[in-house]
Amino acid sequence: FAAFLMERLHNVYKVNNFSSRTFWRFGYSARLLKTNHFRTAAWNTSFPAARMLLAQDSGRIPGLFVVVRKTSFITMPETLEDKTTPGLYSPNPAVRGMTVLDREAFKRTIVVPVLKVKKETVNALLKSLKHVVLQRPGLKRVLEGAQGEDSRLVILDPHKVPEFSLGECEQEVLKQLHVHPEVSKYNLELTYENFKSEEILRAVLPQGHEVTSGFSRVGHIAHLNLRDHQLPYRHLIGQVIIDKNPGITCAVNKTSIIDSTYRNFEMEVLAGESNLVTKVKENNIEYELDFSKVYWNPRLSTEHGRIVQLLQPGDVLCDVFAGIGPFAIPAAKKKCHVFANDLNPESYSWLLRNCRLNRVDNRVKAFNMDGRDFLLGPVREELSKVLLQKEEQTSFHIVMNLPALALEFLDVFRHLVAGEPCSTAALPTVHCYAFSKHEDPAKDIQERAEASLGTSLEGRCTTYPVRNVAPNKEMLCISFQVPADVLCKRPCPDEGEE
């Protein structure tokens, strides 16, 4: 896109005598648009020649021409659809309030512009007028002409061809292709297959109600979090999600909050098959799981990868709340020594299965224990060995991904081991996750961690934002090396003499 824009703007530069700085900025506009430099107000007033150029070519660069509003990206066709004829691509109004999906009821006929073109000219015309040709899911852009005629009807987008009249640039293209410029009207029938999921749900739900078509994908399962006003339509919504997303064969809705003990939640199957045993792939590693019995969140894949990147072969990783192994297994594949634990028997079972599946069961020691007992037992034993090693040290990492409760476990590190470490490099690094609703989440997490440890972490920790969980609720990771005076229990002089 940047290369294309540079070439186009170079011609504009010659004609309009743009300054080289303006030309340079637009040469990198693809990158600038990813940030928040171009706001809507600035777009309406700055760089008129370039604005016209982009508007002209937006249809030829699908998906790249965007208007930035805060941090969301809105494609221009959607904006035009909303502002010009909002009902043009809406299903039959009679579907409003439908709770049991009737696909036939969505049929609707609209009037669209068409061009009559010779059969041998169709491909050239589609390529040259791509930006004004109608593009809808499952809809043919080229129709058969009248019986006995060697011609085709090319359907144009009514939003791009207002008043059924083509612009001068398009007419010039038609002239070069020897195509008659007359635009005709055609009655086009749209069916359920031609509408997008958002359009279907917007037509069904009561006007003014929020439409949610987003979901988390877990293998063949679509996991939705529906609002109360959407529940009467939940089975229809689930079926629409299945219909419009290839590979999805089951849609479920969370019906309770996550249980902080086993980190799973009750769910209802909305549509499709009831098989909740699935396979997922994250960071090129495959996992198997029963989504109804274990915790899995595809939104954490980046965080899993970030922590594993900090590890080196030979390092030790202790995963206190391991789940089915998204930290443990990639660490083991990196030839780290892994100790993985989870209290949920189902998670423990799937952890073992996934270790075998990925052929790292010989590098992972798995445990089915309470997190506190795991820290006081296997972790303390292994940490004591590492702290006393005099040869080259390996890094020791402890991951505590239970955001609702993990900070409360940090008091375990107070005097966890006896004796002095051979070097400060051997001290363990903790990566602890937590939720915060505080106006300053990083400060809040640090203060709560300090309260559990009984010491200050000022200048000795980093906080990393993981994701926004809900409005005014953030998930963060605080990483720090446990101070020696917190971790190590030093014998009293009297105890030494005894």
Side-chain angles (χ1 to χ4, degrees):
F1 174 60
F4 170 82
L5 205 54
M6 287 282 284
E7 179 182 355
R8 296 285 293 164
L9 281 164
H10 184 64
N11 297 329
V12 177
Y13 168 73
K14 290 180 180 180
V15 176
N16 296 287
N17 194 27
F18 269 25
S19 68
S20 59
R21 179 170 298 181
T22 302
F23 173 70
W24 179 262
R25 289 180 64 190
F26 268 90
Y28 284 92
S29 62
R31 183 172 61 185
L32 292 173
L33 283 168
K34 292 181 181 178
T35 65
N36 206 23
H37 291 90
F38 282 22
R39 297 188 181 273
T40 307
W43 180 253
N44 291 332
T45 57
S46 304
F47 313 112
R51 182 173 71 251
M52 292 172 62
L53 173 63
L54 282 174
Q56 175 184 339
D57 290 316
S58 63
R60 288 190 277 161
I61 318 173
L64 288 179
F65 183 34
V66 296
V67 174
V68 180
R69 296 179 184 273
K70 296 184 179 179
T71 57
S72 62
F73 289 76
I74 304 173
T75 58
M76 288 303 292
E78 291 178 3
T79 304
L80 286 172
E81 183 175 319
D82 290 339
K83 290 184 178 180
T84 54
T85 52
L88 183 60
Y89 293 140
S90 297
N92 190 323
V95 302
R96 180 77 67 191
M98 177 186 294
T99 56
V100 178
L101 184 61
D102 178 5
R103 297 176 181 84
E104 289 296 314
F106 287 83
K107 288 184 178 179
R108 184 186 175 197
T109 300
I110 63 173
V111 179
V112 295
V114 295
L115 278 174
K116 190 174 182 180
V117 184
K118 291 182 178 180
K119 181 179 178 181
E120 59 270 18
T121 312
V122 169
N123 289 335
L125 185 137
L126 289 176
K127 186 178 296 184
S128 300
L129 294 184
K130 183 179 179 181
H131 59 292
V132 296
V133 174
L134 181 64
Q135 298 187 35
R136 297 291 297 172
L139 191 66
K140 291 183 178 180
R141 298 176 295 172
V142 182
L143 304 174
E144 296 288 339
Q147 188 175 6
E149 292 187 4
D150 188 21
S151 62
R152 298 291 185 268
L153 297 179
V154 177
I155 304 177
L156 306 179
D157 189 335
H159 290 152
K160 307 290 181 61
V161 187
E163 300 179 1
F164 294 80
S165 175
L166 290 169
E168 294 182 5
C169 294
E170 288 78 15
Q171 291 191 34
E172 181 63 29
V173 171
L174 297 181
K175 183 178 180 180
Q176 294 175 5
L177 296 175
H178 305 289
V179 175
H180 193 278
E182 180 183 1
V183 177
S184 304
K185 295 182 179 182
Y186 181 84
N187 292 329
L188 178 67
E189 183 182 67
L190 297 179
T191 67
Y192 174 82
E193 286 71 26
N194 305 134
F195 295 112
K196 302 174 184 177
S197 57
E198 295 87 347
E199 294 166 340
I200 292 173
L201 298 182
R202 189 178 298 115
V204 169
L205 268 63
Q207 286 185 326
H209 281 213
E210 180 185 3
V211 174
T212 300
S213 60
F215 58 87
S216 295
R217 181 165 185 165
V218 183
H220 67 275
I221 303 167
H223 171 216
L224 294 84
N225 288 321
L226 298 180
R227 305 291 179 87
D228 289 343
H229 71 271
Q230 298 165 340
L231 293 180
Y233 310 91
R234 63 189 182 279
H235 297 296
L236 180 146
I237 293 173
Q239 189 59 57
V240 170
I241 295 299
I242 291 175
D243 290 345
K244 297 299 179 178
N245 295 275
I248 296 293
T249 59
C250 174
V252 301
N253 181 47
K254 184 173 69 173
T255 59
S256 66
I257 61 173
I258 294 178
D259 176 73
S260 58
T261 303
Y262 285 166
R263 290 201 298 177
N264 55 8
F265 47 80
E266 295 180 4
M267 62 181 68
E268 176 188 12
V269 176
L270 303 178
E273 60 181 342
S274 297
N275 177 24
L276 297 180
V277 175
T278 187
K279 295 181 180 180
V280 296
K281 190 170 185 179
E282 178 183 276
N283 300 327
N284 297 317
I285 296 178
E286 290 188 351
Y287 302 88
E288 295 179 351
L289 63 133
D290 185 335
F291 191 53
S292 66
K293 296 179 180 179
V294 304
Y295 178 81
W296 180 264
N297 191 337
R299 293 186 178 93
L300 295 177
S301 61
T302 301
E303 181 61 15
H304 295 152
R306 183 183 74 89
I307 294 297
V308 173
Q309 284 183 346
L310 301 176
L311 307 176
Q312 299 297 325
D315 286 353
V316 177
L317 174 70
C318 294
D319 194 346
V320 185
F321 314 104
I324 66 168
F327 286 114
I329 291 174
K333 277 188 165 291
K334 207 170 181 178
K335 298 184 178 180
C336 296
H337 305 290
V338 179
F339 296 78
N341 171 74
D342 202 280
L343 177 62
N344 183 354
E346 289 289 339
S347 295
Y348 171 73
S349 176
W350 288 101
L351 170 63
L352 294 176
R353 182 168 176 170
N354 287 312
C355 286
R356 292 192 297 269
L357 176 67
N358 289 280
R359 300 179 181 179
V360 294
D361 46 308
N362 60 330
R363 293 200 190 101
V364 178
K365 293 184 180 180
F367 302 85
N368 181 206
M369 306 172 63
D370 176 79
R372 186 173 292 272
D373 293 336
F374 176 65
L375 289 167
L376 291 171
V379 174
R380 174 160 58 182
E381 182 180 346
E382 185 64 22
L383 185 56
S384 298
K385 295 177 184 177
V386 172
L387 290 176
L388 295 177
Q389 289 179 357
K390 293 183 180 180
E391 61 269 15
E392 184 178 350
Q393 299 288 343
T394 58
S395 296
F396 199 105
H397 293 260
I398 301 174
V399 174
M400 304 175 67
N401 186 18
L402 184 62
L405 297 173
L407 289 176
E408 299 176 13
F409 285 76
L410 293 180
D411 65 300
V412 173
F413 292 105
R414 296 190 188 187
H415 299 166
L416 181 62
V417 297
E420 291 286 342
C422 292
S423 70
T424 56
L427 294 171
T429 299
V430 174
H431 308 281
C432 185
Y433 293 84
F435 295 131
S436 177
K437 295 184 178 180
H438 196 274
E439 60 181 12
D440 188 346
K443 180 181 178 182
D444 174 48
I445 298 298
Q446 180 178 330
E447 290 178 349
R448 288 158 59 193
E450 291 172 340
S452 292
L453 291 169
T455 190
S456 172
L457 293 176
E458 189 65 33
R460 297 191 288 185
C461 69
T462 59
T463 52
Y464 185 85
V466 177
R467 69 186 188 97
N468 177 259
V469 179
N472 302 318
K473 184 178 182 180
E474 301 289 333
M475 178 179 174
L476 297 91
C477 174
I478 181 169
S479 298
F480 58 90
Q481 196 172 39
V482 183
D485 56 348
V486 173
L487 183 69
C488 301
K489 181 180 180 181
R490 297 175 172 86
C492 296
D494 293 342
E495 293 177 348
E497 292 175 4
E498 292 176 359

